[in-house]
Amino acid sequence: LPSNKVDEIFDSAKLEIRDEINVKLSDISEPTLLGAVHMASPRSSVSLTLIMQTTLTKDEVQARYDQGALEAYESTQLLILPVKEALAHAQSSATAPLKEGEEPLHMTAALRGSLQLLDKYLKKHDGIKEKEEREEKEEEKLHQL
């Protein structure tokens, strides 16, 4: 793709967050592409999965959403979950509760696929962090000798 088209894809994701959740562009990191989720027929489609970070707390994000946004009509609520809980919901079946009395969230196939990509991304980055921490400890041991 031409670079201007790539920029358009990434910029549009940030604009969606601003317009639908009411988070300022300056409070959102640049997007990182995690991958693509390919949907099988009969409705063949591809969804790109991007990750962005914010310096805002979940309460601050919720407060901005509650204030209303330009395209607030596109949603009825904002659901903020810890990553592990979202992954557990994505991996559960639509008919089996996660815990006694808890019903799984209804997620689209694209969202489930995106959460699988997020899980892989986080595991990879956790592995990188663990490796860096081990190397730092080994280096400290060498300096102590």
Side-chain angles (χ1 to χ4, degrees):
L1 284 175
S3 65
N4 66 333
K5 294 298 180 188
V6 172
D7 290 343
E8 184 179 330
I9 291 168
F10 282 59
D11 291 345
S12 68
K14 289 180 73 171
L15 293 174
E16 285 286 314
I17 290 172
R18 181 200 63 194
D19 294 347
E20 294 180 20
I21 301 176
N22 200 26
V23 173
K24 295 177 186 173
L25 294 176
S26 59
D27 291 328
I28 306 167
S29 71
E30 289 302 314
T32 298
L33 178 64
L34 299 186
V37 178
H38 299 266
M39 309 306 290
S41 57
R43 297 186 71 208
S44 295
S45 65
V46 175
S47 296
L48 297 179
T49 300
L50 303 165
I51 186 171
M52 291 170 261
Q53 296 180 349
T54 182
T55 56
L56 302 175
T57 66
K58 68 178 184 174
D59 292 334
E60 290 170 323
V61 172
Q62 185 68 55
R64 292 207 183 163
Y65 177 81
D66 292 343
Q67 290 171 357
L70 184 63
E71 296 179 3
Y73 61 88
E74 290 192 12
S75 65
T76 57
Q77 76 177 65
L78 178 64
L79 180 62
I80 300 173
L81 296 174
V83 172
K84 286 184 181 181
E85 187 176 336
L87 293 171
H89 278 281
Q91 293 167 355
S92 71
S93 76
T95 57
L98 296 162
K99 297 177 188 170
E100 191 173 319
E102 184 178 20
E103 292 295 320
L105 298 173
H106 296 285
M107 296 182 173
T108 64
L111 177 55
R112 287 180 189 273
S114 292
L115 286 168
Q116 289 175 354
L117 289 170
L118 176 62
D119 189 35
K120 287 181 180 183
Y121 173 84
L122 293 174
K123 285 178 180 173
K124 179 180 178 184
H125 279 70
D126 285 346
I128 291 170
K129 283 183 201 174
E130 289 172 5
K131 180 181 176 190
E132 288 173 350
E133 288 171 2
R134 279 194 311 272
E135 289 172 352
E136 285 177 18
K137 286 179 184 178
E138 289 174 11
E139 199 171 301
E140 285 176 18
K141 285 179 186 177
L142 289 173
H143 288 291
Q144 292 173 354
L145 296 175

